[in-house]
């Protein structure tokens, strides 16, 4: 039986989960995977934390050089998060020929090319299943399950915090701030929630997933990003009346015009499988030219689900001798000649407030006609006296035309305010 | 770049789909997978069929010996289906050292041990992603994605024909025979539909999936099987009123009492992700001790989805040098010492018809009490005068107790008929 030594860098939520899984399943992996995996070293400044997990004092270190030079360590698990010092530590591990397993989406999104180069140099493995969508094996599926397909579309709910917030807003009719505070108190959102609620976390993951899906590097700066901080509960309610559920979607498309990648709130039809992905659950919906529609669903975060992905990679690293690196030209930025779509096409939900005067709707319709945008649904909400909320849903149109049309509507004398513009996905 | 030659045995639906995918994606695989895959040979008695696909005459054969001795063939794709001649052909390929990719669930379920032994002898690869759930990468996920987990439960909608029939019965209120005829006319069901509607196809797949999930051989004869032929549209309707959807479920559990594996119609709660898997879509829902709940969803059959899984295996076989065989003792039958649960536990929906007399319900309740079965829901349908349909849903209880209780109810003087007993899954 093969024996493999692991070092864990950082005993935070995921690091502790990983340690517990490896500790409690050691016999199970011997039996079912024919490999004996031992945790030989942990890098953790807070020694008490490590001792509390039952780790022997001699295996606790606060010195990365010591960890990566330990001859008993074959695989280094990086679960620190953020760019530094994670990047330096991972490079040190790769330089010394250790394989690396990481859950670090920000690091991987920004420095994938550098890490890959370092790994190739020493013939070390580099695994990152845990960087995207927690325990859901989406990376393995893209690399080894869907590789027969031209993947045309990838749509995901890939951030648990925002999905938890939007689900509660929808189910309980609460406002964003109220649910956010609750989510923070419950540990579902960070004290500084920007990475999640502004869509950065989803954008990091989308960069990784769409690069794999489309076989071209999709760098962060090519991803359009909009968070959920200005989502109004009214739109969730009006959307529900129209048969839609609001989600923070990460969307990647690879079409004739080029690649498009965007993260923003979007309405999906209630009967679409993504609409019923609730709470902290995540899902990725793919369309391949041969396989058709595929969806993977599961927990996108948490100590044990993400730990499951880490340990899955550790076992893979221990039992497979060949690692495939990205077959595309993996550079710091976008590859030359690869086109990215900015003026993407979508359907739109628009809510605006107008003075209750004859002729406003005619003017609005005229503006849309001018921009060649056709309207599918139009609802006038008669609840208020002077100022009337009007909701319309368009057919598919270009983002730029839509924005120009909205500017014209905003400028109309009898339009008090354009309250919301939300994309609608089929 | 590596060059790999493929032979396809049988140009039926899946074989033709596989050929088309390989033909149309050859450049794409060179680019993205760094491998040149050519179809060097097809085994097909109907030469015209092969010619119509554009296959050169020199590559069409009706002789398996010729195909497996072709030095240009590295990987043999078996998509004939059924046990013979597929078994003989696959063994011939493995004996000559060719790797085999198969979609044949019946062959694999019944002769996995024999094929595995033959493959090991010549160090050939043996891949079977396409045998279960079409294009959904469930095999790869079990082997390489969920391997960190003790999998406790596996629940699947893994037969497209029956799911198509049940979905239409539910949505259109039609009877089983009516939808079956339509499904046959549309090509969703075979002229002899027994393999699908009696649950054999699902049982083959469950045998393969639960063996992988639980790391123990789960042979066909340990699987309880019940088809959908006696499903009554009335129960679908009454179930809907109670918040349930009827599905043909394949269920595998690995608990303290042992392994249980069963295929039968079951009610699932409407809000469970499996309830919204409609038409010919399939899904597998897994629960792992670390990852929690995971679901994979997609097309379970069809030329292109199943072809996608076949080609995924071909690429895997071409680009990975190491194959893992089952780590469990893979024998013809169940391994000694492995316990299987027959008296499984479930909740139950029971519909019976009683004469409208005082005291019937008291007697029924008395019988359940005697067997220690508690009742959650009881609905008396008052539509008919003399004979009243009564529906009840129980708490979890043992199958054997339930059956005995139902026998007692059937024997009651005022009970006209016990119409249906359907398991209810949480």
């Amino acid at each position: 039986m093969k024996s493999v030594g692991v070092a864990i860098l950082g005993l935070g939520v995921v690091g502790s989960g990983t340690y517990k899984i490896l500790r409690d399943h050691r016999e199970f992996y011997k039996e079912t995977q024919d490999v004996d995996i031992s945790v030989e070293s942990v890098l953790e400044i807070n020694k008490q934390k490590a001792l509390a997990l039952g780790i022997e004092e001699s295996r606790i270190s606060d010195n990365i050089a010591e960890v990566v030079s330990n001859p008993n360590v074959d695989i280094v698990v990086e679960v620190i998060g953020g760019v530094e010092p994670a990047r330096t530590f991972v490079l040190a591990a790769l330089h010394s020929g250790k394989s690396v397993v990481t859950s670090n989406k920000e690091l991987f999104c920004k420095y994938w090319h550098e890490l890959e180069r370092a790994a190739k140099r020493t013939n070390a493995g580099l695994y990152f299943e845990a960087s995207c969508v927690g325990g859901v094996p989406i990376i393995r599926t893209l690399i080894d399950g869907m590789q027969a397909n031209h993947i045309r579309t990838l749509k995901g709910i890939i951030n648990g915090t925002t999905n938890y917030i939007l689900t509660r807003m929808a189910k309980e009719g609460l406002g964003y701030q109220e649910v956010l505070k609750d989510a923070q108190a419950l540990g579902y959102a960070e004290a500084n929630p920007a990475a999640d609620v502004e869509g950065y976390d989803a954008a990091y993951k989308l960069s990784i997933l769409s690069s794999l899906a489309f076989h071209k590097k999709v760098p962060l700066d090519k991803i359009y990003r909009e968070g959920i901080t200005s989502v109004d509960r009214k739109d969730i309610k009006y959307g529900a009346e129209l048969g839609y559920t609001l989600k923070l979607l990460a969307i990647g498309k690879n079409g004739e015009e080029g690649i498009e990648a965007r993260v923003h709130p979007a309405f999906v039809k209630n009967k679409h499988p993504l609409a019923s992905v609730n709470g902290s659950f995540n899902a990725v919906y793919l369309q391949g030219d041969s396989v058709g529609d595929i969806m993977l669903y599961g927990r996108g975060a948490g100590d044990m689900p993400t730990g499951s992905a880490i340990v899955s990679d550790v076992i893979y690293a221990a039992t497979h001798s060949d690692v495939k690196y990205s077959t595309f030209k993996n550079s710091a930025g976008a590859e030359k000649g690869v086109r990215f779509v900015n003026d993407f096409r979508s359907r739109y939900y628009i809510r605006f407030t107008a003075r209750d005067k004859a002729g406003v709707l005619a003017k609005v319709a005229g503006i849309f006609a001018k921009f060649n945008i056709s309207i599918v649904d139009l609802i006038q909400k008669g609840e208020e006296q002077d100022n009337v909320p009007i909701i319309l849903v368009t057919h598919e149109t270009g983002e730029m035309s839509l924005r120009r049309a909205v500017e014209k509507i905003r400028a109309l004398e009898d339009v008090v305010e354009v309250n919301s513009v939300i994309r609608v996905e089929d």
Side-chain angles (χ1 to χ4, degrees), chain A residues 366-400:
Chain A
I367 290 170
F368 278 108
K370 207 184 134 198
F371 284 95
N372 220 359
I373 298 169
S374 45
I375 294 168
V376 184
D377 261 320
L378 193 147
I379 302 166
Q380 182 166 332
K381 294 278 169 187
E383 301 100 337
E384 291 159 58
Q385 210 64 33
D386 298 336
N387 294 331
V388 185
I390 295 170
I391 290 155
L392 53 82
V393 179
T394 74
H395 269 294
E396 195 178 275
T397 181
E399 173 87 7
M400 297 308 163

Side-chain angles (χ1 to χ4, degrees), chain A residues 5 8 12 173 314:
Chain A
I8 301 176
V314 168

Side-chain angles (χ1 to χ4, degrees), chain A residues 234-262:
Chain A
K234 276 186 200 152
D235 292 309
I236 294 181
K237 189 174 141 272
Y238 291 142
E241 289 173 19
L242 292 164
Y244 295 115
T245 304
L246 190 71
K247 295 291 178 190
L248 181 71
L249 284 194
I251 300 169
K253 292 187 184 180
N254 187 15
E256 281 173 21
E257 304 293 310
I259 291 171
E260 76 186 63
R262 43 192 169 107

